Amino acid sequence: MKNNLSLVFLLLSFISCVKTVETNDHYNHFLFSKNQPSWSGDPQLLDKLTAFYLKTKDEKALAGDIWIERNNPMADGSFANGVLDTYIKSDAGAQLSLAAGGLTYTFKEHSAGRFSMTNSKEEKYQLYGQTLTIASKMGNQLRKNDTTLNWNSSLYIPKPLAVTGLDAIERVLPISKSVGRTITWVPDPHPANDKGVIIRLRYDPVVEKMRPNTDALPTQRIEKLIIVPDNGHYHITSLDLEGFPLPLKNFEITIYRGNYQVSEGNRPVAFFAFDYYTTRGELNN
């Protein structure tokens, strides 16, 4: 499964380079990088993610595209100083509505068919842990008898991600390449939270080579992504850490949790929302 998935992403990267389709940069940013990270983990969760990407890679084919992303610097899942981005694509001139938790959300059209939420940061944060219903009405008719100008989509967004077991003083995690390290978080037991958690391990030469005496370190980024059930824990193994150089002072670990879906039909609606937290570790023998 891992090799097949890598082949899929390699092919999609080539398609993106030759511009045969208008690729969806939001999903590209999340699902793969130009250096082709290695994927592993739960086969069923990998299959779900691959199927979603293949259906959404060409944004022109989508009637609607909803993207909600939060980068939270707080391990406890609190929203202080978090950065939340929203991106919504629909037909130009459409009237968008969103219902979640009894709040009313408003939208601004930045360009033809590109919208963002105008609500306060605090109101946007309340989207997490809620089932969202978003609808588009009375957009521009793109072709004769086109009914996709009216659409709606609902999605449960998991609760804010709270990573546990991190010492507040321990700003950089010590990690042994031979032993690994267990990371923990608070799981969301909601039955609609069924897409798992993604753990990204990354060596970034741009950051690491700012230190002295690092000439021997590789010049290319190394990245691995592991998708696992949302059960609240994962042990990063020596096999996961295989291929990363030593020693590293800025070994990056990012934990993602979210949900996604795509509707059926010739012009489907894609809905993707997630939360993520990044910490750094010192990787040694």
Side-chain angles (χ1 to χ4, degrees):
M1 177 63 210
K2 177 178 170 182
N3 291 336
N4 291 342
L5 191 66
S6 298
L7 182 61
V8 167
F9 287 116
L10 184 63
L11 176 61
L12 295 178
S13 176
F14 174 75
I15 290 174
S16 173
C17 291
V18 298
K19 306 292 186 183
T20 55
V21 297
E22 181 180 327
T23 55
N24 193 325
D25 289 338
H26 292 287
Y27 304 130
N28 289 359
H29 156 74
F30 181 76
L31 295 177
F32 75 96
S33 73
K34 63 182 179 180
N35 291 324
Q36 296 307 318
S38 169
W39 283 81
S40 62
D42 186 284
Q44 292 183 335
L45 295 175
L46 280 170
D47 285 345
K48 287 181 181 181
L49 191 59
T50 306
F52 174 80
Y53 182 79
L54 291 173
K55 289 181 179 180
T56 60
K57 62 186 177 65
D58 181 4
E59 192 178 40
K60 283 185 175 180
L62 300 175
D65 188 8
I66 305 104
W67 174 271
I68 300 172
E69 166 189 354
R70 185 182 73 122
N71 175 7
N72 188 21
M74 307 300 290
D76 62 2
S78 65
F79 285 103
N81 302 318
V83 177
L84 190 148
D85 293 323
T86 60
Y87 166 90
I88 299 165
K89 174 237 176 186
S90 186
D91 293 326
Q95 297 177 5
L96 294 178
S97 62
L98 189 152
L103 284 174
T104 299
Y105 289 84
T106 55
F107 300 89
K108 177 181 178 181
E109 187 168 8
H110 294 279
S111 59
R114 311 280 174 158
F115 300 82
S116 65
M117 293 183 194
T118 60
N119 294 68
S120 68
K121 183 167 69 172
E122 290 73 21
E123 288 177 333
K124 290 178 183 177
Y125 287 165
Q126 294 184 46
L127 295 170
Y128 286 82
Q130 301 280 354
T131 297
L132 281 61
T133 299
I134 187 168
S136 173
K137 294 183 179 180
M138 300 177 64
N140 293 333
Q141 189 166 352
L142 301 182
R143 58 177 67 92
K144 187 177 181 180
N145 299 323
D146 189 351
T147 60
T148 57
L149 53 94
N150 293 332
W151 55 261
N152 66 80
S153 183
S154 295
L155 184 77
Y156 172 74
I157 301 182
K159 296 176 181 178
L161 178 64
V163 180
T164 58
L166 298 181
D167 188 332
I169 301 176
E170 190 180 50
R171 296 183 181 276
V172 179
L173 303 179
I175 305 172
S176 165
K177 189 173 182 180
S178 59
V179 177
R181 175 150 185 156
T182 298
I183 54 175
T184 58
W185 63 91
V186 179
D188 183 345
H190 194 286
N193 175 35
D194 61 354
K195 302 303 192 302
V197 168
I198 293 174
I199 299 162
R200 185 183 70 189
L201 309 177
R202 175 187 280 178
Y203 157 71
D204 188 345
V206 175
V207 177
E208 197 72 41
K209 283 182 167 289
M210 294 177 68
R211 299 186 296 110
N213 304 318
T214 56
D215 292 345
L217 292 176
T219 57
Q220 276 209 321
R221 175 186 292 175
I222 301 173
E223 199 169 73
K224 292 187 178 183
L225 296 107
I226 308 152
I227 187 166
V228 298
D230 185 13
N231 57 15
H233 60 88
Y234 180 76
H235 183 77
I236 300 172
T237 67
S238 58
L239 182 61
D240 296 329
L241 297 170
E242 191 175 273
F244 287 103
L246 294 177
L248 297 180
K249 297 292 186 181
N250 292 284
F251 183 63
E252 187 178 292
I253 303 172
T254 302
I255 305 169
Y256 298 87
R257 182 170 67 197
N259 202 354
Y260 56 85
Q261 68 180 25
V262 59
S263 63
E264 300 296 331
N266 294 330
R267 297 189 67 225
V269 176
F271 202 153
F272 193 95
F274 64 96
D275 189 16
Y276 67 96
Y277 172 79
T278 298
T279 188
R280 295 190 181 276
E282 288 190 357
L283 185 62
N284 293 287
N285 284 320

